[in-house]
Amino acid sequence: MEALARAYPNPDRGGDEGHWRLILLGLSISYIQRRYTLVNPVLDQLRVDKKEFDHYMTESVKTKTEQTIVSYLSGIVCEKYGEIINNNNLSDIQTHMLNMICQNTVRWINEIGKTVDGQYQLLNTYSTDDVSKMAGYREIPVDDRLLYVAECKQGSLVFLEYLWKIMLNICQKKVNNEAGISDHLELFDPMHYIDSTVTNYVCLNFPEDKYANYSVILPRAGGNFKGVKRKIVERMVNMSLKPEKWFFENSKLTRGKNYYNYSTANVNETPTVADLGEDSFYIECMECIGIDEDEWSIQEDCDGCIFSVKCVKEEM
């Protein structure tokens, strides 16, 4: 990223250099990954020509477009992957699996992020803002949308970390060695777990979860748990398919059953996921899934915690 930033300086002298480096990283990765879509390519098609790459980068950075936003999002994905593999003692097969998950995630981000509606779908999943601010996203200029996407970076990282760790757990349970990866390629693709019929948020449907068909990974609430939860309820309550399960870290106060109805939104009951009604949802606190440094090499049994009929931390 530093080398790219030296070669292609930010034309906006007052712009955030950290954001700019991520944009450059995303642009370059997207250019290189174009080769992966070729059918029966020859060597000349696979080779990255430096002059062509330089022309592509020079032209791409002149004006901010939807591709600029896509590139920023792709840069976040690649940066997070680098942090994980550099700060965890992963086995060779774990590294291989995570690499495949990352590459597929970049492809998915390139697809969903190229339209304003797709960007909104992502932000409506991991933003902590209220419904009124989210409602105006589609109408603001591309420069302002890029800034807003950057403001939501922390939420996007939490989303990526939990999605990847859950996927890695699922893959490790079904694949014992690298030779078996080719038999389960779909498990390494985020799209395998995303319900494409839901377009207002990133709706997850983990086949391994026998109790909830519609789930969502939400951002950290921090110390303002009730306030953030209320804003998310206000956004989700009008969805055509409301998520039945929230993967919501730091939810010690309200793990278990909750309601979309405002009057009872802060009520916590003990019933299991299997007891949910149409206007209720279940919170999984995510304490059983480790995403900190040195925790990525640990394989968790999702069937025994986040996919179980009841949060295993609820009675503690």
Side-chain angles (χ1 to χ4, degrees):
M1 287 192 289
E2 292 174 359
L4 287 168
R6 289 193 296 270
Y8 309 101
N10 189 350
D12 182 4
R13 296 184 180 275
D16 187 295
E17 289 304 310
H19 296 165
W20 182 247
R21 287 194 292 270
L22 285 173
I23 290 170
L24 294 176
L25 177 63
L27 282 170
S28 60
I29 292 293
S30 297
Y31 179 86
I32 293 169
Q33 283 197 340
R34 289 178 180 180
R35 302 171 301 163
Y36 300 162
T37 61
L38 299 175
V39 179
N40 298 322
V42 296
L43 181 60
D44 285 344
Q45 291 177 298
L46 294 173
R47 183 182 293 117
V48 176
D49 182 82
K50 186 174 181 180
K51 289 184 179 179
E52 291 179 2
F53 176 78
D54 180 65
H55 176 74
Y56 161 81
M57 292 294 292
T58 301
E59 292 300 314
S60 297
V61 301
K62 286 182 178 179
T63 306
K64 291 186 177 67
T65 63
E66 305 307 331
Q67 183 58 43
T68 310
I69 295 178
V70 170
S71 298
Y72 176 77
L73 292 168
S74 298
I76 291 175
V77 173
C78 297
E79 183 185 46
K80 174 49 61 178
Y81 168 74
E83 289 180 1
I84 294 171
I85 63 172
N86 286 326
N87 296 298
N88 289 272
N89 187 26
L90 299 173
S91 66
D92 289 343
I93 189 171
Q94 286 176 324
T95 302
H96 188 179
M97 288 179 172
L98 194 59
N99 180 271
M100 293 182 63
I101 291 171
C102 175
Q103 290 185 28
N104 287 326
T105 302
V106 170
R107 294 191 189 97
W108 169 60
I109 287 293
N110 282 336
E111 185 62 29
I112 193 174
K114 68 184 182 182
T115 66
V116 178
D117 287 339
Q119 297 159 20
Y120 174 86
Q121 183 178 358
L122 290 170
L123 293 169
N124 202 37
T125 302
Y126 52 67
S127 169
T128 57
D129 287 322
D130 59 32
V131 66
S132 60
K133 183 169 183 178
M134 284 302 309
Y137 175 82
R138 294 183 178 91
E139 313 305 323
I140 59 178
V142 64
D143 290 54
D144 293 336
R145 284 191 279 112
L146 175 60
L147 180 60
Y148 186 62
V149 169
E151 290 174 354
C152 295
K153 179 183 177 182
Q154 190 56 47
S156 68
L157 290 174
V158 172
F159 174 85
L160 281 176
E161 288 169 333
Y162 279 121
L163 177 60
W164 283 2
K165 190 60 184 295
I166 293 171
M167 289 175 62
L168 189 60
N169 286 332
I170 293 172
C171 291
Q172 289 179 98
K173 187 171 183 178
K174 296 189 177 182
V175 180
N176 298 319
N177 51 58
E178 293 195 18
I181 289 178
S182 59
D183 295 328
H184 300 279
L185 291 177
E186 73 283 353
L187 299 180
F188 301 87
D189 190 342
M191 285 303 297
H192 178 66
Y193 309 96
I194 295 173
D195 189 330
S196 59
T197 65
V198 181
T199 57
N200 296 109
Y201 66 97
V202 181
C203 180
L204 299 169
N205 184 348
F206 294 104
E208 293 74 15
D209 191 341
K210 307 304 181 185
Y211 303 103
N213 293 321
Y214 310 111
S215 303
V216 63
I217 296 175
L218 297 168
R220 290 188 178 96
N224 186 25
F225 176 79
K226 291 184 178 179
V228 171
K229 176 187 165 189
R230 174 182 52 78
K231 292 177 181 179
I232 295 172
V233 167
E234 289 173 348
R235 295 210 309 265
M236 296 293 178
V237 70
N238 293 319
M239 300 297 176
S240 56
L241 285 175
K242 296 187 284 291
E244 300 165 330
K245 181 181 286 186
W246 289 16
F247 294 112
F248 201 7
E249 190 192 70
N250 297 334
S251 57
K252 297 179 181 179
L253 297 177
T254 57
R255 58 168 72 99
K257 185 177 180 179
N258 288 256
Y259 293 90
Y260 281 110
N261 186 299
Y262 291 154
S263 63
T264 56
N266 289 318
V267 176
N268 179 30
E269 294 185 355
T270 57
T272 65
V273 187
D275 299 319
L276 294 181
E278 182 179 350
D279 292 319
S280 59
F281 58 96
Y282 199 87
I283 289 182
E284 283 286 345
C285 66
M286 304 304 286
E287 287 187 32
C288 297
I289 304 297
I291 58 171
D292 205 347
E293 290 186 8
D294 297 326
E295 293 183 335
W296 282 82
S297 60
I298 301 171
Q299 180 181 347
E300 295 104 358
D301 179 14
C302 292
D303 290 344
C305 54
I306 61 170
F307 294 154
S308 63
V309 70
K310 189 174 185 179
C311 178
V312 297
K313 300 286 185 178
E314 196 174 328
E315 295 180 352
M316 294 184 179

